[in-house]
Amino acid sequence: GAGVSQSPSNKVTEKGKDVELRCDPISGHTALYWYRQSLGQGLEFLIYFQGNSAPDKSGLPSDRFSAERTGGSVSTLTIQRTQQEDSAVYLCASSFYGLAGGPSTGELFFGEGSRLTVL
Amino acid sequence: AQSVSQHNHHVILSEAASLELGCNYSYGGTVNLFWYVQYPGQHLQLLLKYFSGDPLVKGIKGFEAEFIKSKFSFNLRKPSVQWSDTAEYFCAVNAVNQGGKLIFGQGTELSVKP
């Protein structure tokens, strides 16, 4: 597609349920990032992928959070046993080669986000 | 661990006023620096970036930022703001020897009064 696509755009769930958020990056982009945006908290880094590998998972808040990427394309962020504090907008971004590629490829293109509300 | 601090949470200006948004980072090594902007109802987009070379970087829509290594700062400036600059602005840093991880600040909301 022309841009980064995220689904669902809105998700309301009950506490304790599992949720899956999907990200379709721009075709050909090898790097993919997940962030969480909460009111007043800015963008919290969760994880990034280079191809199918995740060199840095340090931002995942707990073991309830996991992410995978298959075929160097689509990524899924899974939150198990959701809690109310998980409510936020989850943003995905992709980059042609990530920041290691230098200034010509070091731009992240963001999707619209998935707004998660845990009741 | 690297971190980014944006001093102002909300800035209110009148049109034609000058703008400076502060950004400081904590990392002693080589960094790449960015400013992203999120206009109301839109997704985040790149405003400007610094990788190396001239520490004064010019971006889109008349914005510029200056990298001052000794102060660990990358402040964003614009000589004369417009109502259309109303948005949230995020500073971000990548520590070069820590791979492709990009850390964002808390954001500064800019409101420009017509």
Side-chain angles (χ1 to χ4, degrees):
Chain A
V4 177
S5 177
Q6 292 187 245
S7 61
S9 54
N10 272 289
K11 176 72 176 178
V12 180
T13 191
E14 292 179 348
K15 178 181 172 181
K17 300 282 190 184
D18 297 353
V19 295
E20 280 191 357
L21 306 177
R22 176 187 168 105
C23 174
D24 273 288
I26 293 172
S27 178
H29 280 195
T30 63
L32 186 147
Y33 298 74
W34 282 101
Y35 290 88
R36 180 166 71 175
Q37 187 175 23
S38 308
L39 272 175
Q41 299 297 315
L43 272 73
E44 179 187 1
F45 170 82
L46 298 178
I47 187 171
Y48 88 95
F49 290 89
Q50 188 62 257
N52 291 335
S53 301
D56 195 324
K57 305 180 184 179
S58 61
L60 294 176
S62 72
D63 59 8
R64 296 187 295 105
F65 287 72
S66 63
E68 65 174 15
R69 189 179 186 195
T70 55
S73 181
V74 172
S75 176
T76 303
L77 177 69
T78 301
I79 309 172
Q80 295 179 310
R81 305 181 302 282
T82 52
Q83 303 294 311
Q84 289 183 329
E85 61 263 29
D86 299 334
S87 296
V89 176
Y90 289 82
L91 293 172
C92 176
S94 71
S95 172
F96 182 71
Y97 193 64
L99 300 174
S104 63
T105 62
E107 176 176 357
L108 269 60
F109 294 85
F110 282 83
E112 302 287 346
S114 292
R115 180 176 298 277
L116 174 65
T117 303
V118 182
L119 301 176
Chain B
Q2 69 218 65
S3 66
V4 181
S5 177
Q6 293 184 238
H7 315 301
N8 312 102
H9 294 296
H10 192 187
V11 173
I12 302 173
L13 295 173
S14 297
E15 276 194 315
S18 63
L19 170 73
E20 180 160 3
L21 301 182
C23 173
N24 285 90
Y25 63 93
S26 63
Y27 183 72
T30 303
V31 292
N32 298 318
L33 298 160
F34 306 79
W35 277 94
Y36 279 80
V37 60
Q38 188 170 28
Y39 296 104
Q42 297 187 25
H43 56 80
L44 277 152
Q45 56 188 282
L46 181 68
L47 200 55
L48 50 77
K49 60 189 174 186
Y50 170 83
F51 275 68
S52 63
D54 189 342
L56 185 61
V57 179
K58 295 192 184 299
I60 59 172
K61 303 186 180 185
F63 285 92
E64 65 180 30
E66 184 175 13
F67 171 45
I68 303 179
K69 188 174 181 179
S70 61
K71 294 185 177 180
F72 300 90
S73 70
F74 191 56
N75 292 355
L76 181 70
R77 300 195 293 248
K78 185 170 184 178
S80 175
V81 294
Q82 301 173 313
W83 176 78
S84 58
D85 294 325
T86 294
E88 191 156 17
Y89 293 80
F90 294 90
C91 181
V93 62
N94 161 244
V96 170
N97 70 354
Q98 292 188 12
K101 182 176 175 179
L102 186 63
I103 300 299
F104 283 81
Q106 310 94 309
T108 297
E109 185 180 347
L110 173 65
S111 300
V112 180
K113 298 184 293 184

